[in-house]
């Protein structure tokens, strides 16, 4: 079986120990399997992405001993692919424009008749304010400059469930299959945003299209993205794309048990390097 994996950082800040663990683990697993390790720069958010962070990513990864087997894919080069997928979903009547802001959603979701607001992988489940009464195929062009949401109830018509295989931590060696039913997707994920007001596409849409375009067979990433995988396997089904095998690894935490954040400069790889650390020290720090 072929083994193609990737590391997909966003150039919006310095890589820290959590990124080092994810990248080293994926790289080690690809090498052990005689497979392929690819890099993808997730710079779809042009406001927050900076060329200097991208340059630092290449530099830190190279210093760690990581080599990628093809030129990196950059999401900013992929807009035509994102538009084609959105066009397809739009024509099938599975998307609708949404003008709600965060505050509107909060207010509608906590209205007394709604019961307690429920959180999904993407925050509050959208209460449906802008959702059309009936989803129907669209002949016109994809609207620009407005957020587009997936009409989840319409999307799962004819789909009983979606499934994915999770291999877990390599040391644990356990493989499990997860099944997410259509009612769980409607109630627990809801109408997620697939294209943003300020840029075309969204994290969920691009990650699915890019993994397919790079021929990824194994997605190795942090456990914080486990819930998002439900969305990704549904999108794969809707767009006719293959589903990779998933490995959601443990998260590297600070001394208070908190997950490392982008702004956690104290644990940036660049900080350790400036203090004279060696790549082997970083491996030891993350337990590899
Ligand atoms: N770009 C995401 C991040 O930096 C990772 C996405 C993924 O691995 O699917 O957290």
């Amino acid at each position: 079986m072929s083994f193609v994996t990737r590391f997909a950082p966003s150039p919006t800040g310095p890589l820290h120990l959590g990124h080092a663990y994810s990248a080293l683990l994926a790289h080690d697993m690809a090498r052990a399997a005689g497979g392929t390790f690819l890099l993808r720069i997730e710079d779809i958010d042009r406001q927050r992405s900076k060329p200097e962070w991208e340059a630092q990513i290449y530099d830190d990864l190279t210093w760690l001993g990581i080599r990628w087997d093809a030129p990196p894919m950059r999401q900013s080069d992929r807009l035509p692919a994102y538009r084609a997928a959105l066009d397809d979903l739009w024509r099938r009547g599975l998307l609708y424009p949404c003008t709600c802001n965060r505050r509107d959603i909060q207010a509608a979701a906590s209205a007394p008749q709604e019961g307690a607001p429920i959180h999904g992988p993407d925050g509050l489940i959208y209460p449906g304010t802008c959702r059309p009464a009936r989803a129907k195929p669209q002949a016109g062009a994809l609207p620009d400059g407005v957020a587009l949401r997936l009409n989840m109830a319409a999307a799962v018509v004819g789909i009983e469930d979606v499934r994915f295989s999770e291999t877990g931590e390599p040391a644990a060696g356990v493989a499990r299959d997860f099944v997410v039913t259509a009612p769980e997707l409607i109630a627990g994920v809801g109408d997620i945003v697939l294209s943003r007001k300020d840029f075309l596409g969204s994290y969920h849409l691009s990650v699915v299209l890019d993994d397919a375009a790079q021929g990824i067979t194994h997605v190795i990433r942090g456990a914080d993205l486990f819930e998002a995988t439900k969305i990704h396997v549904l999108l794969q089904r809707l767009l006719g794309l293959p589903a990779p095998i998933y490995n959601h690894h443990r998260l590297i935490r600070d001394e208070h048990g908190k997950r490392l954040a982008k702004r956690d400069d104290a644990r940036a790889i660049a900080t350790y390097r400036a203090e004279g650390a060696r790549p082997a020290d970083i491996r030891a720090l993350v337990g590899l």
Side-chain angles (χ1 to χ4, degrees):
M1 187 194 178
S2 71
F3 190 108
V4 184
T5 191
R6 46 62 165 192
F7 176 57
S10 308
T12 54
L15 295 186
H16 55 55
L17 286 183
H19 297 109
Y21 179 58
S22 211
L24 286 166
L25 183 65
H27 189 254
D28 287 358
M29 286 174 74
R31 295 294 170 249
T36 302
F37 175 85
L38 300 175
L39 186 58
R40 181 165 77 231
I41 302 296
E42 300 216 320
D43 60 350
I44 186 176
D45 185 342
R46 303 302 290 153
Q47 298 276 346
R48 293 175 59 228
S49 299
K50 300 275 176 274
E52 53 272 32
W53 293 127
E54 185 176 330
Q56 180 82 48
I57 288 171
Y58 300 137
D59 197 50
D60 282 343
L61 293 180
T62 305
W63 177 80
L64 281 170
I66 290 174
R67 303 289 177 266
W68 40 100
D69 299 319
M73 172 179 275
R74 301 171 82 240
Q75 291 190 329
S76 49
D77 295 333
R78 301 260 307 140
L79 297 185
Y82 305 156
R83 182 174 287 280
L86 288 167
D87 264 331
D88 174 29
L89 296 172
W90 172 252
R91 274 192 247 108
R92 288 157 64 186
L94 302 185
L95 300 179
Y96 61 88
C98 175
T99 53
C100 295
N101 60 30
R102 223 179 273 268
R103 199 152 358 117
D104 299 332
I105 296 171
Q106 179 78 43
S110 45
Q113 71 276 15
E114 294 291 336
I118 309 171
H119 287 262
D122 249 7
L124 272 184
I125 308 265
Y126 183 60
T129 319
C130 293
R131 186 192 305 130
R134 260 192 64 230
K136 48 178 189 312
Q138 301 283 345
L142 189 75
D144 268 328
V146 64
L148 297 172
R149 288 186 180 275
L150 181 70
N151 186 332
M152 187 60 87
V156 296
V157 169
I159 295 179
E160 209 168 298
D161 55 42
V162 290
R163 291 155 190 260
F164 62 97
S165 293
E166 166 71 48
T167 61
E169 283 292 306
V174 282
R176 286 185 62 188
D177 285 337
F178 284 87
V179 180
V180 192
T181 65
E184 283 166 359
L185 287 168
I186 296 170
V189 175
D191 294 1
I192 46 161
V193 171
L194 289 192
S195 190
R196 298 263 301 262
K197 181 172 170 243
D198 41 348
F199 57 84
L200 187 88
S202 71
Y203 161 66
H204 299 302
L205 182 83
S206 52
V207 82
V208 157
L209 292 168
D210 297 346
D211 281 339
Q214 288 189 298
I216 302 301
T217 60
H218 292 72
V219 171
I220 299 160
R221 62 184 179 189
D224 52 331
L225 289 168
F226 180 84
E227 290 295 319
T229 300
K230 298 174 181 174
I231 300 175
H232 300 170
V233 289
L234 171 70
L235 291 176
Q236 285 150 6
R237 174 81 80 89
L238 290 176
L239 296 167
L241 303 172
I245 294 169
Y246 287 86
N247 176 322
H248 293 95
H249 59 68
R250 70 185 158 88
L251 299 176
I252 305 293
R253 297 178 184 277
D254 67 13
E255 65 276 20
H256 309 295
K258 253 188 78 211
R259 175 159 78 86
L260 300 184
K262 263 277 150 71
R263 54 204 168 278
D264 199 338
D265 288 354
R267 288 170 192 79
I269 299 170
T271 309
Y272 287 103
R273 288 176 66 180
E275 288 167 352
R278 309 299 316 150
D281 301 324
I282 303 290
R283 278 189 172 268
L285 277 170
V286 298
L288 278 173

